């Protein structure tokens, strides 16, 4: 086991497991932000393990998760907008989850970029990092918008006619 694999295992056990538990249990106002955090952290675990196993092809799994993770969270925000409006997430908890997303991505990606060096793999890492940060920003805005829509907000979009 090398340092990259140890870092990935530590991140998986110490951060992904509690975030996944929070996403799987409790009220909706806690589950939706925790799902976003779980997706981001799991993507970072995949990147660390790809470096640990010396398999750059494994970063494709992280790339797919960086695209689909925020999309899944946005889907849940859309489906659970009424419940989020009735009992919105606490603003300090939402800010803490977003800040953790924003801090975890560069903390993992900067060492990986330094080790990777210039090339196609570095470009892929930068794209994954940008997708994770932008996905976190977008889902945070969507959760905030659903939460401030007011109790009993409609969960359907505008109708034509």
């Amino acid at each position: 086991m090398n340092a990259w694999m140890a870092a990935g295992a530590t991140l998986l056990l110490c951060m992904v497991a509690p975030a996944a538990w929070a996403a799987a249990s409790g009220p909706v106002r806690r589950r939706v932000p925790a799902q976003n955090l779980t997706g981001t952290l799991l993507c970072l675990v995949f990147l660390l393990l790809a470096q640990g196993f010396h398999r750059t092809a494994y970063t494709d799994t992280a790339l797919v998760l960086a695209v689909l993770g925020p999309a899944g969270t946005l889907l849940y925000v859309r489906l659970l907008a009424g419940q989020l409006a009735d009992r919105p997430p606490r603003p300090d908890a939402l800010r803490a989850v977003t800040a953790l997303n924003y801090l975890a991505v560069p903390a993992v990606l900067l060492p990986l970029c330094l080790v990777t060096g210039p090339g196609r793999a570095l470009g892929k890492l930068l794209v994954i990092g940008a997708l994770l940060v932008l996905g976190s920003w977008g889902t945070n805005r969507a959760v905030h918008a659903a939460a401030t829509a007011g109790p009993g907000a409609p969960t359907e979009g505008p109708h034509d006619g």
Side-chain angles (χ1 to χ4, degrees):
M1 177 180 276
N2 58 30
W4 299 108
M5 293 171 67
T10 302
L11 185 63
L12 184 66
L13 292 174
C14 296
M15 294 185 74
V16 174
W21 179 80
S25 64
V28 171
R29 68 186 197 165
R30 184 179 73 192
R31 288 191 318 236
V32 174
Q35 179 190 358
N36 184 35
L37 179 64
T38 302
T40 300
L41 295 175
L42 197 57
C43 185
L44 296 175
V45 167
F46 287 151
L47 290 174
L48 288 168
L49 293 179
Q51 183 66 35
F53 287 120
H54 303 291
R55 303 282 184 165
T56 56
Y58 292 170
T59 59
D60 293 342
T61 306
L63 179 61
V64 170
L65 186 58
V67 173
L68 295 180
T73 303
L74 290 174
L75 177 67
Y76 280 118
V77 168
R78 175 76 169 149
L79 293 174
L80 301 172
Q83 292 179 25
L84 285 171
D86 291 339
R87 295 211 49 208
R90 292 183 309 228
D92 55 340
L94 197 55
R95 278 193 298 272
V97 167
T98 304
L100 187 56
N101 275 334
Y102 289 159
L103 292 173
V105 171
V108 171
L109 283 180
L110 286 176
L112 286 172
C113 288
L114 290 174
V115 169
T116 302
R120 184 171 176 247
L122 176 65
K124 192 183 284 189
L125 285 175
L126 294 175
V127 167
I128 291 170
L131 286 171
L132 289 174
V133 169
L134 290 174
S136 178
W137 176 78
T139 55
N140 181 35
R141 288 183 50 93
V143 169
H144 182 69
T148 58
T155 58
E156 299 178 17
H159 298 285
D160 294 332

